[in-house]
Amino acid sequence: AKWEEVLPRIATAADVARALQAEFENAGYEVQTIRLAMNSFEEWVRPADPQACVRELVDLLDRRSIDFFNLGPATTAGGRSLLLPLLLLSPRLSASCACASPEMGVDELAIVDASEVTVGLGQNTEGGFGNFRFCASFCVPPHVPFFPAGYAPSANSARDESSRFEMSFALGLECGDVALAALAAAAAVQNQGQDSKTPKERLPLSGITKALTDAFDAQLVPLEAAAKLAAERCSGHGVDSADAQRICYMGIDTSLNPGLDPSFSVGAAFEAALGEGRVFGSAGTLAVASAITKALKSLSVSKVGYSGLMLPPLEDSTLAKRQIKGSDGGKFKAQEGEVAEPSSKRKKHVMTSRRAGTKPSYGIVDLLSYSSVCGVGLDTVPIPGDTPAEKVASLMLDVAALSAKWAKPLSCRLFPVPGRKAGEMTSFDSPFLINTEVFEMP
């Protein structure tokens, strides 16, 4: 599209998104965020002055109160050179760096560039928080509703079903509570009648898959029906009837995604399945990850995106806790002389603590191994602020190797934390993150 046509289309997309939000809310659903995603910015900014174009875009986002806008993936060396300056223009902007595709394989030069953007955002945004809005992506398809990897299909790509539509939408969920409730209930049934002193046994893998399949199908099948109805009702919204095009519902990213509240913790769902005395990261964790992913891939709805398992340490209270030394398998409470830190003034009920003692229950290598059987890759992983770009690139290359080997979408979102070393606490003051200890780089 020509730049002169882009802003009006984005304004229309914002109107459509608000109309869809109203449809879902009228159907009884909570809509947490509206997120707009474009095809690669390389295709629609003016080459002579891309930053001026994006500043105009930011003005529109400010006026329309759109907090989450994805510029799309950088796919060329020229586009990758623009990522850092464009992302620094506004906290409303997200983007990704495409580092692998099923057709072309792994692009090592793109990985080097992505690592430099990660380090640059760590150095040039407060607390390194800018990396919340950037990732390296590997074999990630369009229509992922989760940022920063989400994007729309390229205008230059082969025409598929979705490309006939000027606008389409997909749904992402915050659903850790559904998984935790389902697995806790299944564990309670399994251990019913046991003596209170008898350790609770782990759930069989088939039981994990069945409990989650039943629980999520019960929730998502009605949601999909509401989504199809919303698409039908919103088609043609905000455009002249002569030019109206149908709004395409693409599907649901069924990924198991945590919330900050402990009742939404994916890590806690793992521990309900692992059995008493076993914490996330202990033997059996990878097997549970595989059983959970099997359920998410088998749900009776149209699926898009990752549709796998998300394990973001900075977004899950149990994962944050298990990264802290001396977490005592969930029984640890802050004691005199120890530190308890809220991650946000708006989320004071979410606390993390630290003390000297045993090692964390898992690390970066463990997260990589879980990625081989589950969903996303490395997501919101805090690393030492002085980590060189070369080491970041090596870690991204490991994620790329997994993605290429198994032909699955993965991403890598690392947070170099300025002034912090491995084992020291982060100090993010954000409604989107929980504080934990900085990971040791492998």
Side-chain angles (χ1 to χ4, degrees):
K2 297 179 181 179
W3 172 246
E4 293 73 19
E5 301 172 346
V6 170
L7 291 185
R9 291 186 180 185
I10 292 173
T12 298
D15 291 340
V16 170
R18 298 292 185 197
L20 288 167
Q21 177 181 10
E23 291 290 334
F24 282 107
E25 290 175 343
N26 289 338
Y29 293 98
E30 177 188 359
V31 178
Q32 289 188 324
T33 62
I34 290 175
R35 306 182 179 200
L36 302 184
M38 293 284 283
N39 51 309
S40 174
F41 62 92
E42 299 163 344
E43 299 178 11
W44 46 266
V45 297
R46 287 191 300 262
D49 198 353
Q51 292 192 50
C53 293
V54 175
R55 288 191 186 95
E56 291 181 47
L57 167 62
V58 170
D59 288 341
L60 173 64
L61 300 178
D62 290 343
R63 294 195 303 272
R64 294 300 186 105
S65 298
I66 299 296
D67 293 329
F68 300 93
F69 185 93
N70 204 306
L71 298 169
T75 62
T76 65
R80 295 192 294 268
S81 70
L82 292 171
L83 281 170
L84 182 58
L86 293 183
L87 288 170
L88 291 176
L89 290 176
S90 171
R92 298 183 188 272
L93 301 176
S94 297
S96 61
C97 181
C99 296
S101 69
E103 300 79 18
M104 304 298 293
V106 176
D107 186 338
E108 293 191 47
L109 292 178
I111 289 174
V112 170
D113 290 341
S115 69
E116 292 174 350
V117 174
T118 295
V119 171
L121 288 169
Q123 295 171 342
N124 291 281
T125 58
E126 184 175 357
F129 184 67
N131 277 297
F132 186 75
R133 303 180 284 111
F134 173 73
C135 72
S137 63
F138 311 90
C139 301
V140 174
H143 308 300
V144 174
F146 294 106
F147 281 18
Y151 68 98
S154 169
N156 301 322
S157 63
R159 307 295 285 181
D160 60 12
E161 171 67 14
S162 68
S163 64
R164 294 192 296 107
F165 303 94
E166 193 166 31
M167 283 175 282
S168 59
F169 73 97
L171 304 177
L173 311 171
E174 186 175 285
C175 52
D177 59 330
V178 177
L180 178 54
L183 295 183
V189 170
Q190 174 177 278
N191 294 293
Q192 190 172 14
Q194 285 189 357
D195 185 277
S196 60
K197 296 182 180 179
T198 303
K200 304 298 186 292
E201 297 180 358
R202 71 166 181 84
L203 286 172
L205 300 182
S206 60
I208 294 171
T209 300
K210 184 179 187 309
L212 291 180
T213 301
D214 292 346
F216 277 96
D217 267 343
Q219 298 275 349
L220 299 193
V221 170
L223 175 60
E224 178 157 86
K228 291 178 179 178
L229 182 59
E232 181 180 338
R233 289 178 172 173
C234 292
S235 290
H237 184 98
V239 294
D240 294 337
S241 59
D243 299 322
Q245 288 182 294
R246 185 159 58 92
I247 305 303
C248 182
Y249 160 68
M250 298 306 301
I252 301 172
D253 191 323
T254 61
S255 292
L256 183 50
N257 178 37
L260 298 186
D261 189 281
S263 65
F264 282 75
S265 169
V266 171
F270 265 80
E271 294 182 0
L274 284 167
E276 187 174 349
R278 298 183 180 92
V279 300
F280 181 89
S282 61
T285 299
L286 188 145
V288 171
S290 180
I292 291 173
T293 304
K294 183 177 180 180
L296 300 174
K297 297 289 189 185
S298 67
L299 298 178
S300 305
V301 294
S302 300
K303 290 175 282 294
V304 295
Y306 301 106
S307 289
L309 176 60
M310 295 187 171
L311 299 172
L314 287 171
E315 296 180 325
D316 184 296
S317 59
T318 301
L319 300 186
K321 184 188 298 183
R322 296 295 172 251
Q323 171 55 17
I324 296 167
K325 299 181 184 72
S327 62
D328 278 356
K331 301 176 183 178
F332 173 57
K333 297 181 180 179
Q335 300 175 1
E336 185 177 359
E338 295 160 358
V339 180
E341 301 183 37
S343 64
S344 168
K345 295 175 182 177
R346 294 170 57 189
K347 294 285 184 181
K348 288 188 177 179
H349 62 283
V350 181
M351 308 290 286
T352 57
S353 307
R354 66 184 173 96
R355 68 175 179 178
T358 58
K359 294 182 178 180
S361 68
Y362 71 101
I364 289 177
V365 172
D366 299 296
L367 292 174
L368 279 171
S369 70
Y370 306 150
S371 296
S372 68
V373 298
C374 65
V376 173
L378 297 177
D379 194 28
T380 70
V381 177
I383 61 175
D386 61 357
T387 304
E390 294 81 4
K391 200 163 188 179
V392 172
S394 295
L395 192 52
M396 289 179 172
L397 195 59
D398 286 341
V399 180
L402 280 174
S403 175
K405 170 65 177 178
W406 302 112
K408 62 184 299 181
L410 295 175
S411 56
C412 186
R413 183 164 51 153
L414 304 175
F415 282 58
V417 184
R420 294 293 195 273
K421 298 179 180 180
E424 296 181 340
M425 289 292 293
T426 62
S427 56
F428 294 110
D429 185 14
S430 166
F432 306 117
L433 299 179
I434 296 172
N435 285 308
T436 188
E437 286 186 359
V438 173
F439 281 70
E440 183 176 348
M441 283 289 287

